[in-house]
Each structure stands twice: as structure tokens, then as C-alpha cells.
Amino acid sequence: MRKRFCPRHGKDYPCSCGMGNLYRFVEPVVLLLLKMKGRSYGYDLAADLEGHALTDTTIEKGVLYRTLRRLEMNGNVKSEWEAEGRGPARRIYRLTKQGEEHLDEWAAVLEHLSKSMSRFVRDARKPAAGKAKPAR
Amino acid sequence: MRKRFCPRHGKDYPCSCGMGNLYRFVEPVVLLLLKMKGRSYGYDLAADLEGHALTDTTIEKGVLYRTLRRLEMNGNVKSEWEAEGRGPARRIYRLTKQGEEHLDEWAAVLEHLSKSMSRFVRDARKPAAGKAKPAR
DNA sequence: TAGTTATAGGTGTTAGTTGCACTTATTTCA
DNA sequence: TGAAATAAGTGCAACTAACACCTATAACTA
């Protein structure tokens, strides 16, 4: 049984605190990059993803390409092949109107999540309540 | 093919922006609650989870119980049956020393994630760069 | 006292997701 | 001409999520 490697706890420890490449967190980053760049393609996005990812881990190419396809299926981006220029042909993606709205939704979701998390961190660092007298 | 329901986009939209009950986000909340309460059990934790969850969605019982078992397998909590008192016997959980450390690690992970997310939100709300003159 | 509700702790199943390795193809450069 | 860089994927086993379902005890209530 293949085990996932956790950089914090080593192998054979079935935690997920590193949080991997959760495609649900790759999606908004792709949307943001497309907004900032105007147009881009998989191979190019892969490089920039490192700098903008929400998690630490390196982004997995497979997740990226599948995310782009799914975004297109859902109407959030559109693509066209571009053969001109150097190297192999590129599939160029752009945000659609709906994609921009979807990014806005993501921003709202992540803003809320960010606040929940920072509240969590504050609570987690408080000393445990009423430990002076043992509870039983 | 059973489809997940997304409260934001309805059924048949394979997004995950609601983010469901991601067990990886249930784990730290359980650790925090156990730290705050000193001792607790599944049914009791289930009630408090709502108020402390990182995501909005209601917490799924199955995830909670399985999370508790996994935490115990990993040595982060320990449990004992308690038959006294009213109602059916309860499996009482407590944090171990290791569990407290694990919570601290989670706090560090989530602090980082929280910051990444709020940076993301800031960027996402900036107007798109250089859209005045069309890029091509 | 029988039936219902509340408390308590789970399991089973299947669809969906992830990680990682692998594949294919074109172009550039030494 | 052979290696490296660019580009876009696919295959698959292991893992995760959602939701329904199951078991049992205790308390309440008609």
C-alpha cells in the first residue's frame, strides 16, 4: 500500500498537514494569474504558480492541466491554440466574464476562510483553560 | 452518477468552493476543542464543532468519528470508555503531549495559509493590469 | 409498559480527488 | 544528430468525501 510522504512527519504517518496540491486551491490561483496576465498557457502558468500558490508544496503539472480543462468545461476560461512563435504550439487561455465573477466568489470564500484560520490560530495559542486545578 | 451539491452553484456544477468537510480541516478543530475542554467525546464535540469549524458547512459525523480514531492511532489523543453518568457509555478523549505539539504545528500551518489567502484576496481585488490598451 | 425520542458511536458504499509516474510531440542548441 | 527545453497531456492506484445507514442504551411520555 503506497503511503503518502508528509514533509513534516515523514512517511508512514497518514497526516495531511502539508495539504498537498489540493486542486481546489489551485483553481483560484489559476484564475488570479489569468486575470493578472490577461492571457497565458499551462506551461507558462506552471512557473508562476510557485510564487502565488496558497500552500507551500510545488504544484503538480497534472493538477494544473486538469484544472484548466475543468475551468473551461465550466465556462470560466476559454482557450485557443497558438502555433506562431517559438517552440511547440500552446493552448492559450483567457478568463471569461463568468470566470472573473468566479474569481470574485473565490476571493469572498478565501477571505472568510482566512479569518476563520487566524481566529483559530489565536485560540490555539491561548493557554488551556482551567488547568491549574485538575478537572477530575 | 451521483453529483455533489454546491450551495453556491447548485448541482451539476463540479466545483468545490464550498469546501465541504475536508477532514484535514476537521482534525485541527478537534485538537483545539480537546485542548480547550480538557476532555470530551464524539457526540459532545459534534455540537461544538459547528461554532469552531474553519469552513461553513455542517460537520459530518462520520468524518468526526473517523478523525478521532485516526488521531488516536497516531498518538495525538488517547481514549477511555466512561459508563457512569446518564445515557449510553461515552468514549472520552484527551490530548496527549504529542497531540498538543501537533496542534501547535497546525497553528503554524494555518497561520501561514491564512496569510497566503489574505494576500490572495488583496491581489484578486486589484483591477487587472494594463487592460486600457488591449494586449493584442 | 410499549413506543418514541435523545444520546452515543459507529460502518458501508461509491463517486470524486490526489500524487506520481509516464507518454507524446515540436523546436532549439551544442 | 543527439540532448535539452518547451508544451500538453494521460493512466492508475491510493486516498478522501458525502451521505446514508446501522446498533445500542437510556430517558421520556402516552
Side-chain angles (χ1 to χ4, degrees):
Chain A
M1 176 161 53
R2 191 145 53 102
K3 269 290 164 218
R4 188 193 313 196
F5 177 75
C6 167
R8 213 168 260 275
H9 298 103
K11 61 174 166 32
D12 298 329
Y13 189 98
C15 82
S16 51
C17 73
M19 282 186 290
N21 297 304
L22 281 177
Y23 88 51
R24 60 194 84 205
F25 291 152
V26 171
E27 175 173 308
V29 177
V30 168
L31 292 169
L32 174 57
L33 284 174
L34 284 176
K35 182 187 179 184
M36 295 195 307
K37 293 163 94 70
R39 61 201 297 278
S40 188
Y41 53 98
Y43 195 82
D44 179 52
L45 289 168
D48 294 354
L49 271 175
E50 301 294 337
H52 288 83
L54 296 171
T55 58
D56 284 330
T57 45
T58 55
I59 280 76
E60 216 277 301
K61 253 161 9 83
V63 173
L64 171 59
Y65 283 112
R66 276 190 267 242
T67 297
L68 284 167
R69 297 303 211 89
R70 191 165 40 84
L71 283 171
E72 184 158 33
M73 270 176 26
N74 290 337
N76 293 311
V77 303
K78 59 186 189 313
S79 76
E80 57 188 319
W81 283 97
E82 183 187 65
E84 310 88 71
R86 277 163 261 86
R90 291 148 291 279
R91 192 195 279 270
I92 303 287
Y93 289 93
R94 280 171 229 267
L95 275 190
T96 60
K97 186 85 189 78
Q98 190 195 303
E100 286 174 44
E101 288 161 14
H102 196 49
L103 175 57
D104 292 341
E105 290 179 332
W106 263 114
V109 168
L110 293 179
E111 181 174 42
H112 177 72
L113 195 51
S114 171
K115 284 176 184 163
S116 301
M117 284 179 181
S118 90
R119 191 179 335 111
F120 176 95
V121 171
R122 204 166 51 248
D123 292 345
R125 285 174 179 162
K126 277 187 210 146
K131 272 295 199 178
K133 288 168 187 281
R136 41 181 282 133
Chain B
M1 176 160 52
R2 190 147 52 105
K3 270 288 161 217
R4 187 194 313 194
F5 177 74
C6 166
R8 213 168 260 275
H9 296 103
K11 61 174 166 32
D12 298 330
Y13 190 98
C15 83
S16 51
C17 73
M19 282 187 291
N21 298 303
L22 281 178
Y23 87 52
R24 61 194 84 203
F25 291 152
V26 172
E27 175 173 309
V29 177
V30 168
L31 291 170
L32 174 57
L33 284 174
L34 284 176
K35 183 187 177 183
M36 295 194 310
K37 294 164 95 68
R39 62 201 295 278
S40 189
Y41 54 97
Y43 195 82
D44 179 52
L45 289 168
D48 294 354
L49 269 176
E50 301 294 336
H52 287 82
L54 296 171
T55 58
D56 284 329
T57 45
T58 55
I59 279 75
E60 215 277 301
K61 257 168 359 89
V63 174
L64 171 59
Y65 283 111
R66 277 189 265 244
T67 297
L68 284 166
R69 297 302 210 87
R70 192 166 39 84
L71 282 169
E72 183 158 34
M73 270 176 26
N74 289 336
N76 294 310
V77 303
K78 59 186 188 312
S79 76
E80 58 190 317
W81 283 98
E82 184 188 63
E84 309 88 73
R86 278 163 263 85
R90 291 149 291 281
R91 192 195 279 273
I92 302 287
Y93 288 93
R94 281 170 227 267
L95 275 190
T96 60
K97 186 85 188 78
Q98 189 194 306
E100 286 175 43
E101 288 162 12
H102 196 49
L103 174 57
D104 292 341
E105 291 179 333
W106 263 114
V109 168
L110 293 178
E111 181 174 43
H112 177 72
L113 195 50
S114 172
K115 285 177 182 163
S116 301
M117 285 179 180
S118 89
R119 190 178 335 112
F120 176 95
V121 172
R122 204 165 53 247
D123 292 345
R125 285 174 180 163
K126 277 187 210 149
K131 273 293 196 178
K133 288 169 189 279
R136 38 181 283 129

